[in-house]
Amino acid sequence: MGFLSFLKPNSQSFKPVKPKSETANPTDSEISEMNHKMLISADKVEQGRALVSAAQAARQARQAEEAARLAEIRDAGAIPEECGPDIAPAPARGGFVLERVRHLEGATIDDLVETSRGYVRKSPVRCADAFDLMIAAALRGKRDMPLSPGQIAMGRRYAALVEISATDGTKLSCLDSSGGGGDSMDWMDRHLDIGRELDLLRGRIGHGVAMAVRRVRPTARGAEQRGPIMDRVLVDMVCLKGCTLDQVLMSHGWSAKGDHRKAVSHALGETLDRMIGYRMQKTS
């Protein structure tokens, strides 16, 4: 006995396992069960491949859609070549108009020639507004311009003053001029001048009604109740919000037909004339 006797195999505890006969054939039930399992495995493989293919196709479709969306955004914010490389493409800029800079060159009055002469002969851009849409619509329809150049300039001047007044509420220091002199009231004087000019323009606009509602029974007005269009509201919607005349009419319940469009356009022109300073004489 001892440790070596413990490792000695016991004939009673180890029994050899007889291998199955290699010549034994499976039964029909076993064959059908094996075929069924193989078919199930093949179906699962095909289903897995179909899911993978569907996922790849969906991913490629999303990538193509995203690439098309980004390309559309880049194309919308692209800058024309005549503007030069200094103006960076900015999709958030929105619609813009190419400004044609014109310059008269010549030694005498008879020799004057109109040429394009901007910054290194490049054309600048500016943000498009409702007046540009009106001009484009008139050119497409080969109609007369709804507003005169003076009226359009007055509307853009009013929009610029409102923007400056709204964003000029904080006085900041400039490092370029920190060493030089300067009056601390310069900013306040400018801000007060802008406020006085805005008050003057708004006083000229007045509280009149551009489109008045006639006395019509409520049952004959339809589902949408028409509301009066005030002169101040008309000017603010067109000059500040960039709304077209049709949008102004429809926002107040008016149909955008020819008579209404002509009336509101005439009212806008009269209001802009008053803002310019005209009382009796019209500019259009």
Side-chain angles (χ1 to χ4, degrees):
M1 300 301 289
F3 181 72
L4 294 177
S5 62
F6 175 76
L7 295 177
K8 184 178 180 180
N10 189 1
S11 60
Q12 296 180 358
S13 59
F14 293 95
K15 295 182 179 180
V17 179
K18 295 181 180 180
K20 292 184 179 180
S21 176
E22 296 179 357
T23 59
N25 295 325
T27 61
D28 294 339
S29 60
E30 292 176 350
I31 293 175
S32 60
E33 184 178 357
M34 292 171 59
N35 293 334
H36 181 66
K37 290 181 179 179
M38 292 175 64
L39 290 175
I40 292 176
S41 300
D43 291 341
K44 290 182 178 179
V45 171
E46 291 296 330
Q47 291 177 1
R49 291 177 178 174
L51 290 175
V52 171
S53 300
Q56 291 177 351
R59 183 173 62 255
Q60 292 175 358
R62 289 194 302 269
Q63 292 176 352
E65 183 180 358
E66 182 67 13
R69 187 181 70 85
L70 295 177
E72 184 178 359
I73 293 175
R74 285 192 297 268
D75 295 339
I79 300 297
E81 295 181 358
E82 51 264 39
C83 296
D86 293 337
I87 302 177
R93 183 184 288 119
F96 60 87
V97 178
L98 191 65
E99 286 286 347
R100 301 293 181 181
V101 180
R102 293 292 180 259
H103 181 73
L104 295 177
E105 294 181 354
T108 61
I109 298 178
D110 297 332
D111 298 336
L112 291 178
V113 178
E114 187 181 84
T115 60
S116 175
R117 186 177 178 180
Y119 172 69
V120 293
R121 297 191 180 273
K122 299 299 181 182
S123 299
V125 297
R126 63 169 177 82
C127 294
D129 52 18
F131 299 109
D132 294 313
L133 297 178
M134 294 180 189
I135 294 173
L139 292 176
R140 285 195 304 267
K142 297 181 180 180
R143 301 187 302 269
D144 295 335
M145 295 298 169
L147 300 173
S148 67
Q151 293 170 344
I152 294 175
M154 185 70 256
R156 288 172 176 167
R157 172 65 178 172
Y158 174 69
L161 289 174
V162 173
E163 182 179 1
I164 294 173
S165 177
T167 58
D168 195 28
T170 304
K171 181 180 178 181
L172 302 177
S173 60
C174 181
L175 296 178
D176 296 337
S177 59
S178 60
D183 189 3
S184 61
M185 293 299 294
D186 290 343
W187 170 82
M188 184 58 68
D189 292 340
R190 184 185 64 175
H191 193 71
L192 292 175
D193 290 341
I194 292 173
R196 280 191 292 265
E197 187 174 355
L198 277 177
D199 292 339
L200 176 63
L201 294 179
R202 287 167 178 167
R204 290 176 179 178
I205 294 173
H207 303 283
V209 180
M211 294 283 288
V213 180
R214 297 179 179 179
R215 293 185 177 181
V216 182
R217 291 179 301 175
T219 56
R221 294 178 185 174
E224 296 183 358
Q225 299 293 330
R226 289 182 181 178
I229 303 176
M230 309 300 292
D231 291 337
R232 172 71 180 278
V233 174
L234 175 61
V235 172
D236 287 349
M237 290 187 69
V238 174
C239 299
L240 305 183
K241 298 181 180 180
C243 298
T244 61
L245 297 180
D246 292 349
Q247 292 173 344
V248 174
L249 289 170
M250 290 185 292
S251 64
H252 289 80
W254 296 78
S255 59
K257 60 182 183 179
D259 296 339
H260 295 165
R261 192 182 295 111
K262 184 177 180 180
V264 75
S265 177
H266 182 71
L268 178 61
E270 287 184 343
T271 307
L272 292 173
D273 277 332
R274 293 198 304 271
M275 295 171 66
I276 294 173
Y278 293 95
R279 288 298 179 181
M280 302 299 295
Q281 185 179 0
K282 301 293 190 230
T283 62
S284 61

